[in-house]
Amino acid sequence: MDFSDWVALLTAATAAGWVDAVVGGGGLIILPTLFVVAPGIAPQTALGTNKLAAVAGTSASVVTFARKVPMRWRMLLPAAAIAAVTAATGAAAVSLIDRDLFIPIVMVVLVGVAIFVTLRPSIGITLATHAPSRRKFVLVIALAAGLIGFYDGLLGPGTGTFLIITFATLLGTEFVRAAAMAKVINCGSNVGALIYFGVTGHIMFVLGAAMAVGNVAGAIIGSHMALRNGAKFVRVVLLMVVIVMVIRLGWQQFG
């Protein structure tokens, strides 16, 4: 790769870190850039290299959010461990899934998310009147970690977005706190997938480490902006990212 290729990848990694920190979906920036810069790269290697950068970025986001947002670590850390296991399982199952069927399903879900957030402007903007019970909180966190963690290892686009919407809808959590919680679980799923791709030899460590620097920078900036500008800012970015994801996946599938 020449100098311009490195600039493109580092720029993409920084932008992806910012988007991931706010609402998720950074993989839709890094992965296409990887395929353009290195057209001969195997899909598994692209995913594994992306995960190396993503682990660094999500870890930075967790640290940044944790300084300002109260975290229920006793519940979130076990959920992150669940996400790690299911993401590794999802990564191992990549070759077994018919993506021609899977991607349209994801697109339909994303469109549903956009419509739901548009029609329910209060979702994620204010906290629920009554806090969820401990049992409900644990159940929602565990199921989200398991199911969405598996999806992250299997395909990935919008993992953080799905987590944020789940927490805002089912737990009545406002978007900034939901984003903070999502980063903890997303960090776990990234680690799980990274371990699988590393064991199977699908990581370009030098390239991934370089992109990790940009991803961390973008993640720190994005986390601070989410904290400073609040839930309404996150809501607007979430809707924009969902629309872009639908267009990108649609182009990938039918273009």
Side-chain angles (χ1 to χ4, degrees), residues 89-159:
T89 305
V94 167
S95 62
L96 304 177
I97 300 298
D98 183 358
R99 293 197 172 193
D100 289 339
L101 176 64
F102 198 65
I103 290 177
I105 294 174
V106 174
M107 290 174 60
V108 170
V109 173
L110 286 170
V111 170
V113 166
I115 294 173
F116 181 77
V117 173
T118 301
L119 296 179
R120 297 285 298 277
S122 63
I123 290 292
I125 302 299
T126 56
L127 288 170
T129 305
H130 302 288
S133 66
R134 178 183 175 87
R135 178 178 296 180
K136 181 178 180 180
F137 189 92
V138 170
L139 181 61
V140 170
I141 292 291
L143 285 176
L147 296 176
I148 301 176
F150 179 81
Y151 166 78
D152 189 23
L154 185 67
L155 190 63
T159 296

Side-chain angles (χ1 to χ4, degrees), residues 169-251:
T169 304
L170 299 183
L171 298 179
T173 309
E174 53 91 20
F175 279 138
V176 174
R177 183 170 297 184
M181 292 164 55
K183 287 301 101 184
V184 176
I185 294 175
N186 199 183
C187 188
S189 65
N190 282 335
V191 168
L194 179 67
I195 290 173
Y196 174 81
F197 287 124
V199 169
T200 54
H202 290 296
I203 300 176
M204 299 172 67
F205 285 97
V206 174
L207 178 58
M211 291 194 303
V213 175
N215 205 257
V216 167
I220 293 173
I221 295 170
S223 301
H224 280 298
M225 288 183 68
L227 289 167
R228 184 172 63 250
N229 295 300
K232 291 183 178 180
F233 167 76
V234 176
R235 180 178 185 272
V236 170
V237 176
L238 185 148
L239 284 171
M240 292 174 61
V241 169
V242 166
I243 292 170
V244 171
M245 280 194 288
V246 171
I247 294 172
R248 175 68 183 86
L249 289 172
W251 180 265

